[in-house]
Amino acid sequence: RKEVEQDPGPFNVPEGATVAFNCTYSNSASQSFFWYRQDCRKEPKLLMSVYSSGNEDGRFTAQLNRASQYISLLIRDSKLSDSATYLCVVNPRGNEKLTFGTGTRLTIIP
Amino acid sequence: EPEVTQTPSHQVTQMGQEVILRCVPISNHLYFYWYRQILGQKVEFLVSFYNNEISEKSEIFDDQFSVERPDGSNFTLKIRSTKLEDSAMYFCASRLDNSPLHFGNGTRLTVT
């Protein structure tokens, strides 16, 4: 099983729709979880951290399910500017490397 | 907002040549990283650096690679003898403690 696994997509979604991505991780002892977004040929940028109780930032909601070892990201009322690749990122042991999923490509269609 | 800066933005080199990629992490950060991303593939960990030494490295980070923090601000990645397969985007990143990584905007390395 891959350390961090995501559906690569692409997801083509009409503007205004709601879209959800899932990500699974293999190391049950993983401590920190993040969603990053990456635009074409740019650096990854932090979208949001994922907390155990779930958290929301505007149109974005992140959830963590430790029992099933998955993380989700929900985008409501999607905008054209949400088109990007969304990277699931896991910190396996604390203060060391982050492990990236392959990313899920999202295109918002006008 | 403080940023991680990387230079150059694009480096073209011939196979077998040495390259040095430069990074200035955010000034109060403690942990420094190099990642790379081959075109169309995922972001891959190369090396992490803490307290003036390598704390972890991946299988990619072989004897051809080295890192240095020569002064209080710069963090460099050296590839001694580049190969065609080293062509990729190289991202430097830093963080303070158990906080998210902040990435630089990358150096695109093209080996011909």
Side-chain angles (χ1 to χ4, degrees):
Chain A
R1 185 177 177 183
K2 289 181 184 176
E3 285 187 272
V4 180
E5 198 151 4
Q6 294 182 253
D7 180 346
F11 284 58
N12 298 315
V13 172
E15 193 175 3
T18 295
V19 60
F21 311 131
N22 283 338
C23 162
T24 58
Y25 60 94
S26 60
N27 185 343
S28 59
S30 296
Q31 300 188 12
S32 306
F33 310 89
F34 308 94
W35 283 102
Y36 278 73
R37 88 169 256 168
Q38 186 176 29
D39 294 293
C40 189
R41 293 183 178 260
K42 300 283 189 183
E43 75 274 23
K45 289 187 177 176
L46 177 69
L47 180 65
M48 57 197 304
S49 303
V50 186
Y51 302 119
S52 297
S53 54
N55 48 300
E56 191 173 303
D57 183 1
R59 298 181 293 109
F60 298 86
T61 301
Q63 300 238 311
L64 168 63
N65 185 320
R66 284 193 184 272
S68 301
Q69 291 177 216
Y70 80 79
I71 307 148
S72 65
L73 177 68
L74 182 81
I75 306 175
R76 289 181 299 279
D77 187 25
S78 51
K79 314 268 183 224
L80 296 177
S81 56
D82 293 335
S83 296
T85 297
Y86 289 82
L87 306 172
C88 174
V89 183
V90 175
N91 185 341
R93 292 194 306 272
N95 290 333
E96 293 302 333
K97 69 173 186 180
L98 297 188
T99 300
F100 284 73
T102 53
T104 298
R105 190 170 162 194
L106 172 67
T107 301
I108 305 300
I109 303 164
Chain B
E1 186 179 327
E3 291 181 341
V4 176
T5 56
Q6 290 185 243
T7 55
S9 57
H10 189 194
Q11 174 90 48
V12 181
T13 189
Q14 288 190 324
M15 197 167 54
Q17 296 295 303
E18 174 183 288
V19 293
I20 297 176
L21 309 183
R22 301 181 191 278
C23 170
V24 179
I26 295 173
S27 61
N28 63 337
H29 282 191
L30 303 174
Y31 298 84
F32 313 111
Y33 302 80
W34 284 99
Y35 283 79
R36 79 170 187 191
Q37 187 175 31
I38 295 169
L39 187 63
Q41 297 187 25
K42 71 174 190 175
V43 177
E44 298 176 291
F45 169 76
L46 292 178
V47 65
S48 58
F49 193 87
Y50 172 70
N51 204 23
N52 287 319
E53 61 183 19
I54 290 174
S55 47
E56 190 173 356
K57 57 185 181 179
S58 71
E59 292 174 354
I60 303 166
F61 195 88
D62 62 21
D63 292 344
Q64 294 300 311
F65 291 84
S66 62
V67 288
E68 267 195 336
R69 187 158 162 81
D71 51 44
S73 59
N74 291 286
F75 180 50
T76 61
L77 175 69
K78 182 193 291 186
I79 310 174
R80 286 190 188 82
S81 177
T82 49
K83 304 190 264 298
L84 294 175
E85 55 264 37
D86 293 328
S87 295
M89 281 290 285
Y90 287 80
F91 293 110
C92 174
S94 69
R95 61 177 170 160
L96 179 56
D97 196 344
N98 198 13
S99 60
L101 280 182
H102 294 261
F103 284 85
N105 51 14
T107 293
R108 182 151 63 102
L109 177 65
T110 302
V111 182
T112 61

